[in-house]
Amino acid sequence: MGKINLLYVSSSLESIHEYRFLKFISADRRINLIVVTCEPKSIHENILGLGIKIIKSPEACFNIDLPIFRRISLEYRHFKFVSFLSNIIKEYNIDIIHSGWLTLDSYDALKTGFHPVLAMSWGSDVLNDPFMRNPHKSSWYRAKLKYVANNADAIYCDASIVADSIVKLTGINSSKINVFPQLGIDVSVFKPDITLRNKMRSELNIDDYKVLVMTRNFLPVYGIDNFLKSIPAVLKEVPNLYIILAGGGQQYDYLYNICKNINIQNNVKFIGVVPNCSLPNILNAADVYISTSHSDGTSLSLLEAMSCGLPVIISDIPSALEWITDDVNGIIVKRNDIQDISRKIIDLLRNPEKMVLFGRRNRTVALE
């Protein structure tokens, strides 16, 4: 039997998560992998290093980054992308299409009329993100999602809440959806390392501090502003507090100004976007991982912190509750409740025995 010609269609090839998928698939000798995108974004350097065939649609260069034209240019790219995909399917004698982002790539793939199509949700294309247009708010996106749900040969996603949202929004039978936590975390890389911890804390000059770390990009959905606004109350009770923010994004100036306005800039370190291979260094330097996100699927940032043996403080989003049980392996805080965030940070930092216990339990979860 010859190789399976698999067409991987994605709008987010700049992501480390896409790299993990493509590395896994390309290692399978039964599969001949072809990757196609119509987005004008850069491609992650690790993906380029895989030596796989990557095809960019000619429409990828068509991008007008002005609010009034952005939606028009996006819809035009994807409209033209359908015919481009049809030609690729014929040229490479495709057997299977794997497509991410249900309302973009999966919709385009199905519009070619080709089957089978395995459609994958990345979470934010389905969940009710309060800061983005999505199927919960847009009838256009909801119509696209229903079309994909009814026509895809299989759907899979990374969290039960994502599957529940698809069923709620489209009415399809849940048996059509498979749930698994993406490709997980490399526990041999993301692991507790006391030698690395001591080295990093010495280099950062934080040996005598309680260290909180957040490894989320600076986007509204992650609620980083609420976390920062909770810190003045924490500093009154835990003055030796140091915060590491590892990420980048559109809210950098906004978040930096919050720190200045509430006078916590000396306790907060913005270290920029950290390569995934260097994240274990940052996580091992910390005492607690925190995320105050408004919405999320299965967070790989959370899984990385758990695998490094960190206790976690995380907002009460349903996907987080699939991994963290309050006061068992972490602390759950109320979304948008700054006082609750402050109080629970203080309580956990005052209880080192509980921090150690939660960290051990999280490492066990990661290994399992």
Side-chain angles (χ1 to χ4, degrees):
M1 182 179 176
K3 286 189 174 184
I4 296 169
N5 292 325
L6 174 65
L7 185 64
Y8 189 97
V9 187
S10 176
S11 297
S12 55
L13 293 180
E14 81 281 9
S15 163
I16 186 66
H17 311 319
E18 294 276 11
Y19 164 66
R20 286 171 168 156
F21 261 101
L22 293 174
K23 180 182 178 183
F24 183 81
I25 296 170
S26 63
D28 192 326
R29 296 182 179 179
R30 299 167 297 176
I31 294 174
N32 180 36
L33 178 62
I34 301 101
V35 179
V36 178
T37 184
C38 73
E39 283 297 297
K41 300 174 183 175
S42 60
I43 297 173
H44 196 284
E45 61 181 359
N46 289 357
I47 293 177
L48 294 173
L50 290 173
I52 57 179
K53 188 167 188 62
I54 301 174
I55 305 170
K56 272 195 171 188
S57 165
E59 278 69 45
C61 63
F62 182 81
N63 187 52
I64 304 174
D65 196 21
L66 293 172
I68 192 169
F69 295 119
R70 191 176 295 127
R71 174 58 50 190
I72 296 172
S73 67
L74 176 66
E75 295 297 342
Y76 174 79
R77 282 203 312 276
H78 284 270
F79 171 75
K80 296 290 288 184
F81 189 49
V82 173
S83 60
F84 181 78
L85 271 181
S86 297
N87 292 332
I88 294 295
I89 290 167
K90 293 176 184 176
E91 181 179 353
Y92 290 92
N93 195 25
I94 297 301
D95 297 302
I96 300 171
I97 290 181
H98 173 294
S99 52
W101 289 88
L102 300 184
T103 52
L104 287 176
D105 309 301
S106 295
Y107 180 81
D108 294 344
L110 287 163
K111 277 295 184 180
T112 66
F114 177 87
H115 289 277
V117 172
L118 310 180
M120 182 179 68
S121 170
W122 282 101
S124 55
D125 51 351
V126 173
L127 296 177
N128 189 13
D129 182 337
F131 304 97
M132 287 178 61
R133 288 184 68 195
N134 54 59
H136 295 263
K137 302 173 183 177
S138 165
S139 58
W140 172 232
Y141 276 115
R142 192 158 54 251
K144 282 187 166 185
L145 182 62
K146 287 182 178 179
Y147 178 84
V148 170
N150 286 310
N151 289 281
D153 297 276
I155 299 172
Y156 48 110
C157 56
D158 67 354
S160 295
I161 183 59
V162 177
D164 293 344
S165 292
I166 294 171
V167 170
K168 180 180 179 181
L169 288 164
T170 67
I172 66 166
N173 194 301
S174 60
S175 63
K176 191 174 185 178
I177 308 174
N178 299 279
V179 179
F180 72 101
Q182 299 186 9
L183 290 183
I185 295 301
D186 187 342
V187 295
S188 67
V189 175
F190 288 90
K191 62 182 179 181
D193 187 328
I194 188 64
T195 302
L196 181 60
R197 173 181 171 82
N198 292 338
K199 175 178 178 289
M200 293 303 301
R201 289 176 72 92
S202 177
E203 286 181 2
L204 294 169
N205 197 27
I206 54 175
D207 285 326
D208 299 324
Y209 287 85
K210 298 289 187 182
V211 181
L212 301 179
V213 65
M214 181 179 284
T215 56
R216 310 310 302 262
N217 278 324
F218 305 153
L219 303 173
V221 68
Y222 294 129
I224 303 172
D225 51 351
N226 288 333
F227 165 56
L228 293 175
K229 290 173 184 176
S230 76
I231 295 305
V234 179
L235 284 169
K236 291 178 181 178
E237 303 295 329
V238 188
N240 61 328
L241 183 68
Y242 191 83
I243 295 158
I244 299 174
L245 296 182
Q250 68 190 55
Q251 284 198 313
Y252 171 81
D253 290 339
Y254 167 63
L255 297 173
Y256 184 78
N257 286 331
I258 286 177
C259 293
K260 289 178 63 178
N261 292 338
I262 60 179
N263 198 30
I264 63 170
Q265 67 271 26
N266 293 332
N267 300 87
V268 180
K269 179 70 172 179
F270 291 81
I271 63 171
V273 177
V274 177
N276 192 258
C277 60
S278 299
L279 277 175
N281 300 0
I282 304 303
L283 292 170
N284 271 284
D287 297 298
V288 177
Y289 169 86
I290 186 164
S291 173
T292 49
S293 179
H294 299 286
S295 177
D296 218 340
T298 291
S299 166
L300 293 185
S301 297
L302 170 63
L303 301 190
E304 289 163 349
M306 293 172 67
S307 189
C308 283
L310 284 179
V312 304
I313 299 173
I314 197 157
S315 53
D316 58 351
I317 53 177
S319 61
L321 303 183
E322 295 178 31
W323 295 95
I324 303 299
T325 301
D326 191 32
D327 211 32
V328 173
N329 63 328
I331 299 296
I332 306 298
V333 297
K334 298 175 184 176
R335 277 169 284 183
N336 296 312
D337 191 329
I338 294 170
Q339 289 184 338
D340 190 54
I341 296 169
S342 300
R343 179 172 58 83
K344 290 182 176 176
I345 291 174
I346 294 167
D347 289 346
L348 184 59
L349 292 179
R350 282 178 168 175
N351 196 327
E353 295 83 6
K354 185 176 286 190
M355 290 166 60
V356 171
L357 177 62
F358 289 176
R360 287 175 178 167
R361 287 173 174 170
N362 283 334
R363 176 62 180 173
T364 299
V365 171
L367 292 173
E368 290 174 349

